[in-house]
Amino acid sequence: MNSAEIRILGLKVNKVTMGETLAFIDEALKKDGLTRVITLNAEIAYGAYGDEELTALINNADLVTPDGSGILWAASQYGEAISERVCGIDLLTELLQKYSDGSHGFYFLGAKPEAASLAAKKIRKMYPHLQFCGYHHGYFGKENSEDMAAIIAKSGADILIAAMGAPFQDHWIATYGERCNVKVGIGVGGSLDILAGVAKRAPNFFQEFRLEWLYRLLKDPSRFRRTMTLPKFMRLVKKDCNR
Ligand code: UDP
């Protein structure tokens, strides 16, 4: 990877634009072996603080994109400018568009059963020539992971879209990605819910002012505890920068 890497609370983040991320994935699809892509937001970064295993999982990923305005803010605190976010739903949409000619096979893993099936229907309708290798909801039970991986391997997919929430999806890709026999595994959080229409993307206003977290909180107040990780993350970053 040629793009510059920065560290936020000791975690690797690649200073990549969406265009560079797509080019990186395109190259990875030509290679043998698994390429792991993580879309990192402040919540995962905060969760990784003091967690050696999760830190290693992130730092050993092949590409860590700056998902979330918290990461862009943190980068600026370290004197690094990141020009744009590369978040799961945008990356997924771009990939579906780019390979809508059927040149690469997709497997979609994650979301609740109804949402997964709705998302699959919508993707098939929007991209009729896409190589849709299969989908499964994300509640298959950890003990069935090996069987799940065998199903994905049999599907012939080379891109695994894991939408089971971070960091579970990222652990899953790291553990079972090779067995899935895919070339690229990407964690995209709640993106299938958005494609299914069961969750809504924050309107432009919220995105523009980096208030997507506020929109998600207003829509789903049960996210309060999760949202509270944002100020904690910001405090940790400030402390780290002043050291
Ligand atoms: N999910 C899943 N399997 C699980 C837990 C969660 O497939 O064991 C799905 C959940 O249904 C939702 C997504 O993972 O579609 C997580 O969405 P969220 O918005 O919380 O993720 P984020 O984008 O914040 O990582």
Side-chain angles (χ1 to χ4, degrees), residues 41 43 110-112 137-139 163-166 168-169 188-190 193 216 223 226:
N41 63 25
E43 196 185 334
K112 291 190 178 141
H137 63 74
Y139 296 84
M164 301 184 284
F168 174 55
Q169 62 197 14
V188 296
D193 289 342
R216 292 178 95 180
R223 292 183 77 94
R226 291 178 63 175

